[in-house]
Amino acid sequence: MPELSVPGPLIVPSVLPADFARLGAEVRELCAAGVDRIQWDVMDGVFVPNLTFGPDVIAAARPHSTVAFEAHLMVVNPDQMLAEYISAGCELVIVHAEACTHLHRTMARIRDLGARSGVALNPHTPAETVAHVLAETDLVLAMTVNPGFGGQRYIAAVEPKIARLRGLIDESGYAIELEVDGGITADTIGGAAAAGADVFISGSWMYGYPEGKAAAVKRLRDAALTGEAVR
Ligand code: DX5
């Protein structure tokens, strides 16, 4: 199993913009570009309008990757398929707090199944939602768009929540990654990093970068470090 990445800033692409007809090659290209992990945006067409892929597609891509996989479950009932996403090769599974009646139990079950646990918060969901599950948490994801589609505009109004989450994490003393996802570009990543994020999901900007993915990864990492420097 590939080692999880070293402390941030971590640059993690979403495969949402990839050519799904050549996913193995796309995953190899992302690894060659120097990404730290790869995120699989799992959408069920209910929690979010869009519909993407399940564990079988992720499992098919797994042999092509030298980096860890994370599954971002934008689904109404994440508990029912946790084991399948982990068996498919996801070392980190992220559920939405808004989809979990018993979030504490779900986070503990992800760890019991052998993966690292992540919890995502939609832009409207308060940071305090995770205050009582940090002991069960390896990653908090602050969505900087409303989930469901790539290519959306970054919601800068989430930055105070990112800062609040950074405070909660630092006060807890737990080694918890703080990830942001949605509209992350070289122009927006600095604000998210300055607010306290250390893991950055990029889809459309990275895939559309004229100089290619490796240059995009370097540009994002440099911009994140600059943002952190002003923190
Ligand atoms: C939304 C998705 C997107 C994707 C990244 O549900 O989670 O945020 O990962 O998309 P971009 O980088 O194109 O905003």
Side-chain angles (χ1 to χ4, degrees), residues 66-110:
T66 55
V67 301
F69 280 179
E70 62 181 65
H72 175 193
L73 302 184
M74 290 165 272
V75 303
V76 290
N77 186 353
D79 287 284
Q80 68 183 10
M81 293 278 282
L82 292 175
E84 286 78 1
Y85 285 103
I86 295 164
S87 301
C90 295
E91 288 87 355
L92 172 63
V93 176
I94 304 167
V95 299
H96 268 263
E98 303 89 355
C100 294
T101 304
H102 302 287
L103 178 62
H104 183 280
R105 182 171 65 192
T106 299
M107 300 294 278
R109 184 154 175 267
I110 293 170

Short mmCIF file of all heavy atoms in Angstrom, two decimals, residues 66-110:
data_model
loop_
_atom_site.label_atom_id
_atom_site.label_comp_id
_atom_site.label_asym_id
_atom_site.label_seq_id
_atom_site.Cartn_x
_atom_site.Cartn_y
_atom_site.Cartn_z
N THR A 66 0.84 5.21 -8.15
CA THR A 66 1.89 5.05 -7.14
C THR A 66 1.61 5.93 -5.92
O THR A 66 2.43 5.99 -5.00
CB THR A 66 3.26 5.47 -7.74
OG1 THR A 66 3.12 6.81 -8.26
CG2 THR A 66 3.66 4.53 -8.86
N VAL A 67 0.48 6.62 -5.92
CA VAL A 67 0.13 7.47 -4.77
C VAL A 67 -1.19 6.97 -4.17
O VAL A 67 -1.93 6.19 -4.78
CB VAL A 67 -0.01 8.96 -5.16
CG1 VAL A 67 1.28 9.49 -5.75
CG2 VAL A 67 -1.19 9.18 -6.12
N ALA A 68 -1.48 7.43 -2.96
CA ALA A 68 -2.69 6.99 -2.26
C ALA A 68 -3.94 7.56 -2.93
O ALA A 68 -3.90 8.61 -3.57
CB ALA A 68 -2.62 7.45 -0.80
N PHE A 69 -5.04 6.85 -2.76
CA PHE A 69 -6.35 7.29 -3.23
C PHE A 69 -7.17 7.74 -2.03
O PHE A 69 -7.10 7.14 -0.96
CB PHE A 69 -7.09 6.12 -3.91
CG PHE A 69 -6.68 5.84 -5.32
CD1 PHE A 69 -7.29 4.78 -6.00
CD2 PHE A 69 -5.70 6.56 -5.98
CE1 PHE A 69 -6.95 4.48 -7.33
CE2 PHE A 69 -5.34 6.25 -7.29
CZ PHE A 69 -5.97 5.23 -7.95
N GLU A 70 -7.99 8.80 -2.26
CA GLU A 70 -9.01 9.15 -1.30
C GLU A 70 -10.36 9.21 -2.01
O GLU A 70 -10.43 9.59 -3.19
CB GLU A 70 -8.71 10.50 -0.62
CG GLU A 70 -8.66 11.70 -1.52
CD GLU A 70 -8.34 12.99 -0.74
OE1 GLU A 70 -7.23 13.10 -0.18
OE2 GLU A 70 -9.21 13.88 -0.70
N ALA A 71 -11.40 8.75 -1.30
CA ALA A 71 -12.75 8.78 -1.87
C ALA A 71 -13.54 9.89 -1.17
O ALA A 71 -13.63 9.91 0.06
CB ALA A 71 -13.45 7.43 -1.66
N HIS A 72 -14.09 10.79 -1.95
CA HIS A 72 -14.95 11.86 -1.43
C HIS A 72 -16.38 11.42 -1.71
O HIS A 72 -16.84 11.51 -2.85
CB HIS A 72 -14.61 13.17 -2.13
CG HIS A 72 -15.51 14.31 -1.76
ND1 HIS A 72 -15.52 15.49 -2.48
CD2 HIS A 72 -16.43 14.47 -0.77
CE1 HIS A 72 -16.40 16.33 -1.95
NE2 HIS A 72 -16.97 15.73 -0.92
N LEU A 73 -17.06 10.91 -0.70
CA LEU A 73 -18.39 10.31 -0.88
C LEU A 73 -19.48 11.37 -0.77
O LEU A 73 -19.91 11.74 0.32
CB LEU A 73 -18.61 9.19 0.14
CG LEU A 73 -17.59 8.05 0.12
CD1 LEU A 73 -18.01 6.96 1.12
CD2 LEU A 73 -17.43 7.45 -1.27
N MET A 74 -19.94 11.84 -1.92
CA MET A 74 -21.06 12.78 -1.97
C MET A 74 -22.32 11.94 -2.21
O MET A 74 -22.90 11.92 -3.32
CB MET A 74 -20.83 13.82 -3.07
CG MET A 74 -19.70 14.77 -2.72
SD MET A 74 -19.10 15.73 -4.12
CE MET A 74 -17.86 14.58 -4.75
N VAL A 75 -22.69 11.19 -1.19
CA VAL A 75 -23.77 10.21 -1.28
C VAL A 75 -24.64 10.32 -0.04
O VAL A 75 -24.18 10.73 1.03
CB VAL A 75 -23.22 8.78 -1.42
CG1 VAL A 75 -22.31 8.64 -2.64
CG2 VAL A 75 -22.48 8.33 -0.16
N VAL A 76 -25.93 9.93 -0.16
CA VAL A 76 -26.86 10.08 0.95
C VAL A 76 -26.68 9.04 2.05
O VAL A 76 -27.04 9.28 3.20
CB VAL A 76 -28.32 10.03 0.46
CG1 VAL A 76 -28.67 11.28 -0.34
CG2 VAL A 76 -28.61 8.77 -0.34
N ASN A 77 -26.09 7.89 1.70
CA ASN A 77 -25.95 6.85 2.72
C ASN A 77 -24.55 6.25 2.67
O ASN A 77 -24.35 5.14 2.18
CB ASN A 77 -27.00 5.75 2.50
CG ASN A 77 -26.97 4.74 3.65
OD1 ASN A 77 -26.08 4.80 4.51
ND2 ASN A 77 -27.89 3.80 3.64
N PRO A 78 -23.53 7.01 3.13
CA PRO A 78 -22.14 6.54 3.00
C PRO A 78 -21.84 5.26 3.75
O PRO A 78 -20.98 4.48 3.33
CB PRO A 78 -21.33 7.71 3.55
CG PRO A 78 -22.26 8.46 4.44
CD PRO A 78 -23.62 8.30 3.84
N ASP A 79 -22.57 4.97 4.84
CA ASP A 79 -22.24 3.79 5.64
C ASP A 79 -22.35 2.48 4.85
O ASP A 79 -21.62 1.53 5.09
CB ASP A 79 -23.17 3.71 6.85
CG ASP A 79 -22.81 4.76 7.89
OD1 ASP A 79 -21.81 4.57 8.61
OD2 ASP A 79 -23.50 5.81 7.92
N GLN A 80 -23.26 2.46 3.87
CA GLN A 80 -23.56 1.16 3.25
C GLN A 80 -22.45 0.63 2.36
O GLN A 80 -22.38 -0.56 2.10
CB GLN A 80 -24.88 1.22 2.48
CG GLN A 80 -24.86 2.09 1.24
CD GLN A 80 -26.24 2.13 0.58
OE1 GLN A 80 -27.23 1.67 1.16
NE2 GLN A 80 -26.32 2.69 -0.61
N MET A 81 -21.53 1.50 1.91
CA MET A 81 -20.49 1.03 0.98
C MET A 81 -19.07 1.35 1.46
O MET A 81 -18.12 1.31 0.67
CB MET A 81 -20.72 1.65 -0.39
CG MET A 81 -21.99 1.19 -1.09
SD MET A 81 -21.75 -0.39 -1.93
CE MET A 81 -20.86 0.15 -3.41
N LEU A 82 -18.88 1.68 2.71
CA LEU A 82 -17.53 2.05 3.18
C LEU A 82 -16.52 0.95 2.88
O LEU A 82 -15.44 1.20 2.34
CB LEU A 82 -17.57 2.32 4.67
CG LEU A 82 -18.33 3.55 5.16
CD1 LEU A 82 -18.37 3.58 6.67
CD2 LEU A 82 -17.74 4.83 4.58
N ALA A 83 -16.85 -0.30 3.21
CA ALA A 83 -15.90 -1.40 3.02
C ALA A 83 -15.50 -1.55 1.56
O ALA A 83 -14.34 -1.83 1.24
CB ALA A 83 -16.52 -2.69 3.55
N GLU A 84 -16.46 -1.34 0.65
CA GLU A 84 -16.16 -1.51 -0.77
C GLU A 84 -15.16 -0.46 -1.28
O GLU A 84 -14.29 -0.76 -2.09
CB GLU A 84 -17.47 -1.45 -1.58
CG GLU A 84 -18.35 -2.70 -1.46
CD GLU A 84 -19.13 -2.76 -0.17
OE1 GLU A 84 -19.02 -1.81 0.65
OE2 GLU A 84 -19.83 -3.77 0.07
N TYR A 85 -15.31 0.79 -0.80
CA TYR A 85 -14.37 1.83 -1.25
C TYR A 85 -12.97 1.58 -0.69
O TYR A 85 -11.96 1.83 -1.35
CB TYR A 85 -14.90 3.22 -0.89
CG TYR A 85 -16.02 3.63 -1.80
CD1 TYR A 85 -17.34 3.57 -1.37
CD2 TYR A 85 -15.77 3.98 -3.13
CE1 TYR A 85 -18.38 3.87 -2.23
CE2 TYR A 85 -16.81 4.29 -4.00
CZ TYR A 85 -18.11 4.23 -3.55
OH TYR A 85 -19.13 4.52 -4.42
N ILE A 86 -12.91 1.05 0.50
CA ILE A 86 -11.61 0.74 1.10
C ILE A 86 -11.00 -0.48 0.38
O ILE A 86 -9.82 -0.47 0.01
CB ILE A 86 -11.76 0.52 2.61
CG1 ILE A 86 -12.20 1.84 3.27
CG2 ILE A 86 -10.47 -0.01 3.23
CD1 ILE A 86 -12.75 1.69 4.67
N SER A 87 -11.80 -1.48 0.11
CA SER A 87 -11.29 -2.66 -0.65
C SER A 87 -10.85 -2.27 -2.06
O SER A 87 -9.94 -2.88 -2.62
CB SER A 87 -12.39 -3.73 -0.75
OG SER A 87 -12.79 -4.14 0.54
N ALA A 88 -11.46 -1.23 -2.59
CA ALA A 88 -11.11 -0.76 -3.95
C ALA A 88 -9.75 -0.07 -3.97
O ALA A 88 -9.19 0.19 -5.05
CB ALA A 88 -12.18 0.18 -4.48
N GLY A 89 -9.23 0.26 -2.75
CA GLY A 89 -7.90 0.86 -2.70
C GLY A 89 -7.86 2.27 -2.17
O GLY A 89 -6.84 2.96 -2.31
N CYS A 90 -8.94 2.74 -1.55
CA CYS A 90 -8.93 4.10 -0.97
C CYS A 90 -8.39 4.04 0.46
O CYS A 90 -8.99 3.41 1.34
CB CYS A 90 -10.34 4.69 -0.97
SG CYS A 90 -10.98 4.94 -2.64
N GLU A 91 -7.26 4.71 0.68
CA GLU A 91 -6.64 4.72 2.01
C GLU A 91 -7.31 5.75 2.91
O GLU A 91 -7.09 5.75 4.12
CB GLU A 91 -5.15 5.07 1.90
CG GLU A 91 -4.29 3.97 1.30
CD GLU A 91 -4.23 4.04 -0.23
OE1 GLU A 91 -4.94 4.87 -0.84
OE2 GLU A 91 -3.48 3.23 -0.80
N LEU A 92 -8.10 6.63 2.33
CA LEU A 92 -8.78 7.71 3.06
C LEU A 92 -10.20 7.80 2.50
O LEU A 92 -10.38 7.83 1.28
CB LEU A 92 -8.04 9.03 2.85
CG LEU A 92 -8.65 10.32 3.36
CD1 LEU A 92 -8.78 10.32 4.87
CD2 LEU A 92 -7.82 11.51 2.91
N VAL A 93 -11.19 7.80 3.38
CA VAL A 93 -12.59 7.90 2.96
C VAL A 93 -13.22 9.11 3.65
O VAL A 93 -13.16 9.21 4.88
CB VAL A 93 -13.38 6.62 3.31
CG1 VAL A 93 -14.86 6.79 2.94
CG2 VAL A 93 -12.79 5.42 2.58
N ILE A 94 -13.78 10.00 2.84
CA ILE A 94 -14.38 11.25 3.32
C ILE A 94 -15.89 11.17 3.17
O ILE A 94 -16.37 10.95 2.04
CB ILE A 94 -13.84 12.45 2.52
CG1 ILE A 94 -12.30 12.51 2.58
CG2 ILE A 94 -14.43 13.76 3.05
CD1 ILE A 94 -11.69 13.48 1.56
N VAL A 95 -16.61 11.33 4.26
CA VAL A 95 -18.07 11.36 4.22
C VAL A 95 -18.53 12.78 4.49
O VAL A 95 -17.80 13.59 5.06
CB VAL A 95 -18.68 10.39 5.25
CG1 VAL A 95 -18.26 8.96 4.97
CG2 VAL A 95 -18.31 10.80 6.68
N HIS A 96 -19.74 13.10 4.08
CA HIS A 96 -20.32 14.42 4.37
C HIS A 96 -21.06 14.38 5.70
O HIS A 96 -21.90 13.51 5.94
CB HIS A 96 -21.24 14.87 3.22
CG HIS A 96 -20.53 15.68 2.19
ND1 HIS A 96 -20.56 17.04 2.18
CD2 HIS A 96 -19.75 15.30 1.17
CE1 HIS A 96 -19.83 17.50 1.18
NE2 HIS A 96 -19.32 16.47 0.55
N ALA A 97 -20.75 15.35 6.56
CA ALA A 97 -21.46 15.44 7.85
C ALA A 97 -22.96 15.53 7.62
O ALA A 97 -23.76 14.95 8.36
CB ALA A 97 -20.96 16.64 8.64
N GLU A 98 -23.34 16.21 6.53
CA GLU A 98 -24.77 16.43 6.25
C GLU A 98 -25.49 15.12 5.88
O GLU A 98 -26.71 15.05 5.91
CB GLU A 98 -24.92 17.43 5.11
CG GLU A 98 -24.25 18.80 5.36
CD GLU A 98 -22.80 18.85 4.91
OE1 GLU A 98 -22.25 17.82 4.50
OE2 GLU A 98 -22.21 19.94 5.01
N ALA A 99 -24.72 14.08 5.55
CA ALA A 99 -25.33 12.80 5.14
C ALA A 99 -25.26 11.77 6.25
O ALA A 99 -25.65 10.61 6.04
CB ALA A 99 -24.62 12.27 3.90
N CYS A 100 -24.76 12.14 7.43
CA CYS A 100 -24.54 11.15 8.50
C CYS A 100 -25.40 11.47 9.72
O CYS A 100 -25.20 12.49 10.39
CB CYS A 100 -23.08 11.16 8.92
SG CYS A 100 -21.96 10.58 7.62
N THR A 101 -26.33 10.55 10.02
CA THR A 101 -27.13 10.71 11.25
C THR A 101 -26.26 10.48 12.48
O THR A 101 -26.41 11.15 13.50
CB THR A 101 -28.29 9.69 11.24
OG1 THR A 101 -29.04 9.88 10.03
CG2 THR A 101 -29.16 9.89 12.45
N HIS A 102 -25.31 9.50 12.34
CA HIS A 102 -24.42 9.16 13.47
C HIS A 102 -22.98 9.32 13.01
O HIS A 102 -22.26 8.33 12.77
CB HIS A 102 -24.70 7.73 13.94
CG HIS A 102 -26.13 7.52 14.34
ND1 HIS A 102 -26.65 8.04 15.52
CD2 HIS A 102 -27.18 6.92 13.71
CE1 HIS A 102 -27.93 7.73 15.61
NE2 HIS A 102 -28.28 7.05 14.51
N LEU A 103 -22.54 10.57 12.86
CA LEU A 103 -21.22 10.86 12.28
C LEU A 103 -20.10 10.24 13.10
O LEU A 103 -19.16 9.66 12.54
CB LEU A 103 -21.03 12.36 12.18
CG LEU A 103 -19.67 12.85 11.64
CD1 LEU A 103 -19.45 12.35 10.21
CD2 LEU A 103 -19.59 14.38 11.69
N HIS A 104 -20.20 10.29 14.41
CA HIS A 104 -19.13 9.74 15.26
C HIS A 104 -18.95 8.25 14.98
O HIS A 104 -17.83 7.76 14.78
CB HIS A 104 -19.48 9.99 16.74
CG HIS A 104 -18.43 9.53 17.71
ND1 HIS A 104 -18.29 8.21 18.10
CD2 HIS A 104 -17.44 10.21 18.35
CE1 HIS A 104 -17.29 8.11 18.95
NE2 HIS A 104 -16.76 9.30 19.12
N ARG A 105 -20.06 7.53 14.87
CA ARG A 105 -19.99 6.08 14.61
C ARG A 105 -19.42 5.81 13.21
O ARG A 105 -18.59 4.90 13.03
CB ARG A 105 -21.38 5.47 14.74
CG ARG A 105 -21.40 3.96 14.53
CD ARG A 105 -22.76 3.38 14.88
NE ARG A 105 -23.80 3.87 13.97
CZ ARG A 105 -25.10 3.70 14.20
NH1 ARG A 105 -25.52 3.11 15.30
NH2 ARG A 105 -25.99 4.14 13.32
N THR A 106 -19.82 6.60 12.23
CA THR A 106 -19.33 6.40 10.86
C THR A 106 -17.83 6.63 10.77
O THR A 106 -17.10 5.84 10.15
CB THR A 106 -20.08 7.35 9.90
OG1 THR A 106 -21.47 7.05 9.95
CG2 THR A 106 -19.57 7.21 8.47
N MET A 107 -17.36 7.68 11.44
CA MET A 107 -15.91 7.97 11.39
C MET A 107 -15.12 6.84 12.07
O MET A 107 -14.09 6.38 11.55
CB MET A 107 -15.62 9.29 12.09
CG MET A 107 -16.33 10.50 11.49
SD MET A 107 -15.78 10.90 9.85
CE MET A 107 -14.30 11.83 10.26
N ALA A 108 -15.64 6.36 13.20
CA ALA A 108 -14.94 5.26 13.88
C ALA A 108 -14.94 4.00 13.02
O ALA A 108 -13.95 3.26 12.96
CB ALA A 108 -15.63 4.99 15.22
N ARG A 109 -16.04 3.77 12.30
CA ARG A 109 -16.14 2.56 11.46
C ARG A 109 -15.16 2.61 10.29
O ARG A 109 -14.57 1.59 9.92
CB ARG A 109 -17.58 2.39 10.96
CG ARG A 109 -17.77 1.12 10.16
CD ARG A 109 -19.19 0.58 10.17
NE ARG A 109 -19.23 -0.57 9.26
CZ ARG A 109 -19.56 -0.46 7.96
NH1 ARG A 109 -19.93 0.74 7.47
NH2 ARG A 109 -19.54 -1.53 7.16
N ILE A 110 -14.92 3.79 9.73
CA ILE A 110 -13.93 3.91 8.64
C ILE A 110 -12.57 3.46 9.15
O ILE A 110 -11.86 2.69 8.50
CB ILE A 110 -13.88 5.36 8.11
CG1 ILE A 110 -15.19 5.74 7.41
CG2 ILE A 110 -12.69 5.54 7.16
CD1 ILE A 110 -15.31 7.22 7.08
#
